[in-house]
């Protein structure tokens, strides 16, 4: 299985809602990532988990809260978002700390904040 | 910002023609990777070239890397309509753990 899955595909939420994005991989990868991508822009790194521990937080606002319950699963909890947070949220995974790791991406969750 | 710049921003060609995209970056790198993204979807890894390599091939793809100029190019030969996508270079850097920073992207349109 060389696939990264993400649910839901689309999410519409109000600014007072709490929602979660889910990402799963079964490739035995030990590093998992969250990226945010605005329209016609490149993906921007948000968080990196390695061996289920948060390794990198790219100064992301606290209304985004990542969680890695196990080596296959990565969640992104959303609370009190702003309309400017509307974007495509991409999850990726890679073999690990390898300096030459290829990242495998999921199809993304398109988030709209009203 | 570590972000790389790609040019052209958009490229429109006919099937069978070659497409060349260029990427420039700012800092020392471990490697440079190219990814493809179909409209609004996830990214697909195309090829990785190490910092000590100058050229690499994979099928119809040819990538070059010039670390002295901090630049790379991606050539797609004999393009097909299915190659229509956005193409991003991504520089891998960092010690101990690699971060990927994506370039601005080139939108390629291949017409039948």
């Amino acid at each position: 299985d060389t696939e990264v899955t993400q649910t839901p595909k689309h999410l519409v939420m109000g600014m007072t809602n709490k929602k979660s994005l889910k990402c799963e991989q079964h490739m035995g990868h030990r590093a998992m990532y969250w990226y945010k991508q605005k329209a016609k822009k490149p993906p921007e790194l948000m968080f990196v988990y390695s061996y289920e521990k948060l390794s990198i937080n790219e100064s992301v606002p606290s209304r985004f809260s990542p969680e890695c319950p196990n080596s296959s699963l990565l969640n992104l909890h959303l609370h009190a978002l702003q309309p400017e947070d509307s974007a495509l949220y991409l999850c990726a995974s890679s073999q690990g700390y390898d300096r030459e790791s290829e990242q495998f991406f999921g199809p993304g969750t398109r988030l709209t904040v009203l | 910002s570590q972000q790389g710049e790609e040019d052209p921003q958009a490229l429109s060609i006919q099937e069978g023609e070659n497409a060349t995209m260029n990427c420039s970056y700012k800092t020392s790198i471990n490697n440079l990777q190219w990814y493809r993204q179909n409209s609004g979807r996830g990214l697909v890894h195309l090829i990785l070239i190490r910092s000590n390599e100058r050229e690499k091939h994979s099928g119809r793809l040819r990538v070059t890397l010039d670390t002295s100029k901090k630049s790379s190019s991606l050539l797609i030969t004999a393009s097909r309509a299915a190659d229509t996508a956005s193409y991003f270079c991504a520089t891998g850097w960092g010690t101990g753990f690699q971060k990927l920073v994506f370039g601005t992207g080139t939108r390629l349109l291949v017409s039948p």
Side-chain angles (χ1 to χ4, degrees), chain A residues 14-71:
Chain A
M15 289 190 284
T16 58
N17 292 156
K18 286 186 181 180
K19 297 286 185 183
S20 296
L21 309 185
K22 180 180 172 181
C23 172
E24 201 161 1
Q25 58 88 13
H26 295 285
M27 294 178 278
H29 289 172
R30 306 309 297 205
M32 296 185 76
Y33 312 76
W34 280 114
Y35 289 87
K36 174 182 177 180
Q37 186 178 26
K38 302 284 275 185
K40 298 188 177 180
K41 296 289 187 183
E44 293 182 350
L45 183 65
M46 299 174 71
F47 302 104
V48 181
Y49 272 83
S50 58
Y51 294 87
E52 301 162 45
K53 295 192 187 315
L54 183 64
S55 293
I56 296 175
N57 176 343
E58 292 286 276
S59 302
V60 179
S62 60
R63 57 186 185 269
F64 295 92
S65 176
E67 178 196 19
C68 190
N70 60 56
S71 60

Side-chain angles (χ1 to χ4, degrees), chain A residues 37 42 58 97 99-100 103, chain B residues 31 37 50 96 98-99 103:
Chain A
Q37 186 178 26
E58 292 286 276
Y97 277 86
R99 285 184 157 203
E100 297 173 357
Q103 293 188 16
Chain B
N31 59 66
Q37 184 176 34
R50 298 183 182 90
Q98 174 168 263
K99 292 175 63 171

Side-chain angles (χ1 to χ4, degrees), chain B residues 5-88:
Chain B
E5 297 274 337
E6 290 184 58
D7 81 275
Q9 289 186 357
L11 180 60
S12 185
I13 60 175
Q14 300 287 318
E15 267 190 328
E17 294 180 341
N18 296 342
T20 300
M21 294 159 244
N22 303 296
C23 168
S24 60
Y25 58 91
K26 298 178 182 177
T27 64
S28 297
I29 60 172
N30 301 331
N31 59 66
L32 187 141
Q33 304 180 34
W34 286 89
Y35 286 81
R36 183 186 75 225
Q37 184 176 34
N38 289 78
S39 180
R41 305 281 297 167
L43 283 82
V44 174
H45 181 266
L46 296 175
I47 196 165
L48 178 152
I49 185 165
R50 298 183 182 90
S51 58
N52 62 354
E53 296 177 311
R54 293 294 169 259
E55 187 171 313
K56 201 160 183 179
H57 297 255
S58 177
R60 294 184 295 113
L61 305 180
R62 172 178 169 250
V63 169
T64 62
L65 179 64
D66 187 334
T67 52
S68 66
K69 294 182 180 178
K70 291 186 168 60
S71 67
S72 174
S73 67
L74 170 68
L75 168 67
I76 303 174
T77 60
S79 63
R80 306 165 182 166
D83 295 326
T84 295
S86 291
Y87 291 82
F88 294 94

